[in-house]
Amino acid sequence: MAQESSQTVPESIRMVLIGPPGAGKGTQAPNLVERFKVCHLATGDMLRSQVAQKTALGLEAKKIMDQGGLVSDDIMVNMIKNELTTNPACKNGFILDGFPRTIPQAEKLDQMLAERGTPLQKAVELQVDDELLVSRITGRLVHPASGRSYHKIFNPPKKEMTDDVTGEPLVQRSDDNADALKKRLAAYHQQTEPIVDFYKKTGIWAGVDASQPPQTVCTSILKCLGQA
C-alpha cells in the first residue's frame, strides 16, 4: 500500500522553473510547493532574506550590491546550498526560480547538487510570446509584504488596488512597464535561453505552453513531472 501512495506523490521533487519575466513562475511555484511540500527558492527573495539575517553570505552580497556590482555565481550557489542544508522545508526537495540564468551558473549548480547527492530531476520551461508578456506585465499588481500578485485584467483583486487577504494597498513595481520589460526580455533571450539547450542535452528539460490559463499550465507541469 505504501508503495502505491509513493507513486502518486513522489517523495521529493527537485526542479528548476525557467521562463521570461511574466511567464507565471511566481504563480505556479506556490501551487507546486503546496502539492509536493517542498521549498521554493526564488533567488531574489533568498538574497533579500540572507541580507536581512546578516548571514556571512548576506553581508558579502550586500557589500557587492551596495557598490552596484552583481553577486557572484559562487555566492548564489552557496546561498542555495545553505538553504538546502538549513531549511526544513527543503527536506522533500526544492523548486528553483530565477536561477540558474546562465550556463556557467547551471554548471556550478549541477556540481554542487551532485556533491550533495541531490541532482535536478526536471527543468521546466514556461514558454510565452513576448507580445503577450508585455500585456501581462504592464497590468501586474503586487502585495509587497506577501508577494501575492494580481493582474488588472486577468486576475483583478476583489476591491481595486487592494489585497484580498489583508486589505492593504497593492503596488505596481517600477520595472513593470513596457520599456523596462523589453530590456529584461532581451537580456533573458540572450543570457538565459541558452540554458534550455543545456538541460535538453542532459535530458531533464520539458516545455510548457504558459499562455494558457494558470490551472491548465499547472496541469501541464504536473504531466511533465509524471503526476497528472
Side-chain angles (χ1 to χ4, degrees), residues 139-151 161 163 168-173 176:
R140 185 160 68 176
L141 303 167
V142 180
H143 177 240
S146 69
R148 269 187 294 278
S149 61
Y150 299 84
H151 193 282
M161 292 304 288
D163 179 49
E168 291 168 349
L170 299 175
V171 299
Q172 183 159 25
R173 280 175 26 181
D176 280 355

Side-chain angles (χ1 to χ4, degrees), residues 106-118:
E107 290 169 343
K108 280 188 165 72
L109 178 69
D110 270 7
Q111 188 184 342
M112 182 271 285
L113 292 173
E115 284 164 7
R116 293 184 79 252
T118 55

